[in-house]
Amino acid sequence: MLIKIKKSWELAEREATPQNIYLNRRNLIKGLAGAAIATPLIGLPNIALAKKERMALHAQRNDFYKIERDITPEEENLKYNNFYEYGSHKQISKAAEKQLNPRPWQITIDGLVEKPITLDVDELIAKMGIEERLYRHRCVEAWSMSVPWIGFPVKKLVELAKPMSGAKYLRMETFSDKKMAKGIAQQSWYPWPYVEGITMAEANNDLSFLVVGAYGKQVANQMGAPIRLAMPWKYGFKSLKSIVRFSFVKERPIGFWEEISNQANNSEYGFWANVNPDVPHKRWSQASERVLHTGDRVPTLLFNGYGEEVAELYSSLENEALYT
Ligand code: MTE
């Protein structure tokens, strides 16, 4: 994770797009994408004909998952990302747009399952169905966003996979194709591929979500196309991007950042990574967070405000899950 916290989140007032403008623009883009499918001919603005235009996704919003904060404008989200496969800074969008090809994309489901399968991401999406949810998104670096994700609950993938009783954890893996991300070879000291793991109880919690879209369209490359995780009560580093493999396993997986911490012997990043204002990172406080598009500093909430949905998962672990 970044050692130096940049102040690039402190946007000038004029740079923050008011919600109504953003929503109108979103509708316009949606309309144009629809129009492009219906009449892919002359006279449309360039935006509809752009080579890598992301397809509009029409997903019903699940109103159970609402947030009281304004949604982070899409353009802010698109230019402030963590995706180390493209570099250790926030402005990785150009590299991700150029190098990552999210289709065709094969997903493997294996490990302790009745029948391992490999299928195309669009086949998986068609099987699962999609919905929209508004989630908070809190990075361990103490910045936060609010995102309209589109996807399906992880528990639906668990149902499809039919894990055996010996499966205790779900291990997930990001692609490691060096041609699709030059930063992998350029930063060979990192323990690629990016891996994360969660317990089966966490995987089956309704909040755990596999994201295939955002802001009404297929998810952008820099946000983790074509499929990434969103577990909003945990620090963002658990929510790995551009997943190629889901493995049901017996042993607890060691995540990318946990492995880096282990190698450095500094216990900065652990397995649970539950958002907790009372447990500082080894180098900074977690008591408050910077809301990215407003610049406001607001108090951090335990489990990022999702305690009602998830606190029970950790009741038998006492303090362990809150601290690591
Ligand atoms: N997944 C992969 N494969 N590589 C990464 O570097 N960064 C993580 C997570 N998933 C990361 C990743 C971190 S630290 C955060 S905070 C979130 O992605 C950021 O997601 P965002 O860029 O959509 O805000």
Side-chain angles (χ1 to χ4, degrees), residues 105-278:
W105 192 272
Q106 298 288 95
I107 307 267
T108 296
I109 303 175
D110 64 5
L112 300 170
V113 293
E114 275 180 22
K115 197 169 158 241
I117 47 169
T118 295
L119 75 178
D120 186 83
V121 68
D122 288 319
E123 195 187 335
L124 178 68
I125 296 169
K127 274 186 202 289
M128 301 287 100
I130 51 171
E131 62 183 63
E132 184 182 62
R133 296 180 177 191
L134 307 184
Y135 273 5
R136 298 199 191 107
H137 175 43
R138 168 65 157 83
C139 180
V140 74
E141 294 163 347
W143 53 261
S144 66
M145 299 195 207
S146 308
V147 192
W149 296 125
I150 293 172
F152 55 88
V154 177
K155 70 176 181 195
K156 278 193 164 185
L157 181 126
V158 176
E159 279 164 24
L160 175 77
K162 300 193 180 65
M164 297 189 275
S165 61
K168 302 288 180 232
Y169 297 91
L170 175 56
R171 177 189 185 277
M172 291 157 280
E173 194 178 302
T174 295
F175 74 89
S176 56
D177 179 347
K178 292 185 177 124
K179 289 194 289 297
M180 280 215 297
K182 300 219 167 94
I184 295 178
Q186 285 160 356
Q187 308 165 99
S188 57
W189 56 90
Y190 282 125
W192 309 111
Y194 198 107
V195 162
E196 262 308 335
I198 55 177
T199 65
M200 288 305 295
E202 289 175 328
N204 281 315
N205 185 280
D206 196 51
L207 258 186
S208 301
F209 203 52
L210 282 163
V211 168
V212 299
Y215 299 93
K217 299 187 280 290
Q218 288 175 328
V219 68
N221 284 4
Q222 59 267 50
M223 288 184 213
I227 183 165
R228 55 113 20 114
L229 185 66
M231 294 182 72
W233 72 97
K234 292 182 179 286
Y235 291 119
F237 70 85
K238 291 295 290 185
S239 290
L240 78 170
K241 299 180 170 185
S242 307
I243 304 171
V244 289
R245 183 179 293 269
F246 296 87
S247 306
F248 291 83
V249 297
K250 192 171 155 220
E251 305 296 335
R252 187 162 110 176
I254 298 175
F256 181 80
W257 287 104
E258 193 181 3
E259 176 61 25
I260 291 168
S261 282
N262 290 347
Q263 285 174 13
N265 200 20
N266 64 14
S267 61
E268 287 193 342
Y269 306 104
F271 174 77
W272 299 101
N274 290 323
V275 175
N276 188 341
D278 297 329

Side-chain angles (χ1 to χ4, degrees), residues 258-324:
E258 193 181 3
E259 176 61 25
I260 291 168
S261 282
N262 290 347
Q263 285 174 13
N265 200 20
N266 64 14
S267 61
E268 287 193 342
Y269 306 104
F271 174 77
W272 299 101
N274 290 323
V275 175
N276 188 341
D278 297 329
V279 179
H281 182 274
K282 294 283 181 289
R283 285 176 281 136
W284 56 83
S285 165
Q286 295 291 17
S288 66
E289 65 202 47
R290 178 78 56 184
V291 179
L292 201 68
H293 70 285
T294 63
D296 293 342
R297 190 158 271 285
V298 300
T300 298
L301 302 172
L302 181 61
F303 295 117
N304 205 17
Y306 294 100
E308 233 171 83
E309 285 88 353
V310 302
E312 216 189 290
L313 289 173
Y314 308 106
S315 52
S316 65
L317 292 169
E318 297 183 358
N319 284 336
E320 184 195 336
L322 299 178
Y323 284 81
T324 52

